[in-house]
Amino acid sequence: MTARWLNRFGPLLALVLVYAFFALLNSRIATFTAVETIIQQTVIVGIAAIGMTLVIISGGIDLSAGSIIAFGSVVVALCMESLGFSPPWAALAGILAGFLWGIGNGILITRFRLVPFIVTLGTLLVVRGFAKGLSGSMPIDVGHTWLSDILASLPAHQKWLLFPPGGWMMILLALLVSALLKYTPLGRHVYAVGSNEQTARLCGVAVERVKVVVYGLAGAFSGLAGLMLMSYQEQGDPTGAVGLELDVIAAVVIGGGSLSGGEGSVFGSLIGAVIMTVIRTGCQLNGWPAWVTQIVTGAVIVVAVAVDRIRHRRSI
């Protein structure tokens, strides 16, 4: 009973403890402005982590997420500045671009039976190269549009929203994907494939199709995260989000996702993303150097992986 309770609420308990620790050190982290900033800075990683959760539950990995985020931001900016697209169509183009890269990952993994780690390590470089090629290796400024307001700090008359629209969008998407995992055949198949691929195939699950769909959705969420990056910076940045795939994967692991597959939850991943942002914000508010932040974050990730391994040994 205790183990089941910890599996379900462990990430939330970890968030409360980490937040309380930094609140005791510096009460500014408990202010409305600090909370708004934490959510604001979590959205990009959080949205990409929703898609990564699907991939990791299915037993895969996607190292190209950071590059797809940068590519998505470039596509949105390029469509608005050079092609004259209106903001909604430019946003859809960025999401579609991410989706197509994800589908490409899925096809390479399933059709050619390649290892996901190697495939996505390769596409990490390929996608980043295309992003730099499309933009001439330079950021594409778009100026202020209504897309910029998605992650902008709330004006005084909108403080009742608590945090920017992008934060609410992240929560809504998390609810939708959680419902997909829990109540649809696709969700059950994703867990089945991650738990035991051979058994799932014997039970009639179209394993290859599930994987392609999962990687496609992960790409789409990374493309949407690219839109959020463009909104935050007001430019498409081909060199942005470097290494962000590690934060995205770490958020899923800290949130209870298992790198062995078959386990994970969307809201656990979001909590993991918030934990990392709280650590980063808390260290900054206390004036700690960047290397301390990296050590603390890395230690949290190692502990999360160790807990996952211990949990699996006990279940054998």
Side-chain angles (χ1 to χ4, degrees):
M1 188 62 147
T2 303
R4 187 182 305 172
W5 186 89
L6 285 175
N7 287 342
R8 179 171 295 183
F9 299 106
L12 181 59
L13 177 62
L15 173 60
V16 171
L17 292 175
V18 169
Y19 191 82
F21 171 75
F22 283 109
L24 288 173
L25 292 178
N26 192 324
S27 61
R28 283 190 297 166
I29 200 171
T31 62
F32 176 86
T33 302
V35 173
E36 182 186 20
T37 302
I38 288 171
I39 297 299
Q40 189 181 42
Q41 295 179 354
T42 300
V43 168
I44 296 172
V45 171
I47 287 178
I50 294 174
M52 188 66 74
T53 302
L54 296 173
V55 171
I56 288 179
I57 290 175
S58 70
I61 198 75
D62 185 1
L63 298 179
S64 66
S67 296
I68 294 177
I69 290 171
F71 186 84
S73 76
V74 167
V75 168
V76 175
L78 191 66
C79 286
M80 292 173 62
E81 286 301 298
S82 301
L83 303 180
F85 284 26
S86 63
W89 289 109
L92 287 175
I95 296 170
L96 178 61
F99 174 75
L100 293 176
W101 280 118
I103 290 291
N105 281 336
I107 290 174
L108 288 172
I109 290 166
T110 56
R111 296 297 183 187
F112 297 96
R113 300 188 181 281
L114 301 176
V115 179
F117 183 92
I118 301 301
V119 170
T120 57
L121 180 61
T123 52
L124 176 153
L125 299 174
V126 171
V127 177
R128 182 72 65 177
F130 270 103
K132 292 179 178 179
L134 286 176
S135 64
S137 297
M138 296 293 291
I140 303 174
D141 293 323
V142 297
H144 187 84
T145 67
W146 64 265
L147 288 177
S148 305
D149 297 330
I150 296 177
L151 277 186
S153 297
L154 294 172
H157 67 280
Q158 291 184 338
K159 292 297 184 184
W160 58 273
L161 284 173
L162 301 181
F163 37 83
W168 290 110
M169 188 182 301
M170 177 180 68
I171 293 172
L172 176 61
L173 290 170
L175 287 170
L176 291 174
V177 176
S178 293
L180 180 147
L181 285 171
K182 189 172 183 179
Y183 299 112
T184 68
L186 174 61
R188 292 189 289 271
H189 291 171
V190 170
Y191 277 106
V193 170
S195 297
N196 191 315
E197 183 176 321
Q198 295 303 321
T199 301
R201 184 175 278 109
L202 291 173
C203 292
V205 175
V207 173
E208 285 73 19
R209 186 182 305 170
V210 169
K211 288 185 177 182
V212 171
V213 170
V214 161
Y215 278 95
L217 289 174
F221 278 108
S222 293
L224 178 58
L227 168 63
M228 296 298 168
L229 178 65
M230 195 285 302
S231 169
Y232 189 67
Q233 297 182 341
E234 295 190 347
Q235 64 180 16
D237 187 1
T239 61
V242 172
L244 202 67
E245 60 278 348
L246 300 181
D247 286 353
V248 174
I249 294 170
V252 179
V253 173
I254 292 171
S258 174
L259 292 175
S260 301
E263 292 183 25
S265 71
V266 172
F267 281 101
S269 299
L270 291 190
I271 290 172
V274 174
I275 287 174
M276 290 196 298
T277 307
V278 168
I279 292 172
R280 193 174 297 114
T281 303
C283 291
Q284 290 172 351
L285 287 175
N286 285 284
W288 297 352
W291 60 267
V292 174
T293 305
Q294 292 176 335
I295 289 174
V296 173
T297 304
V300 170
I301 295 170
V302 171
V303 169
V305 174
V307 169
D308 174 61
R309 298 310 302 166
I310 292 171
R311 193 171 69 236
H312 275 82
R313 286 174 186 170
R314 289 181 176 177
S315 63
I316 295 175

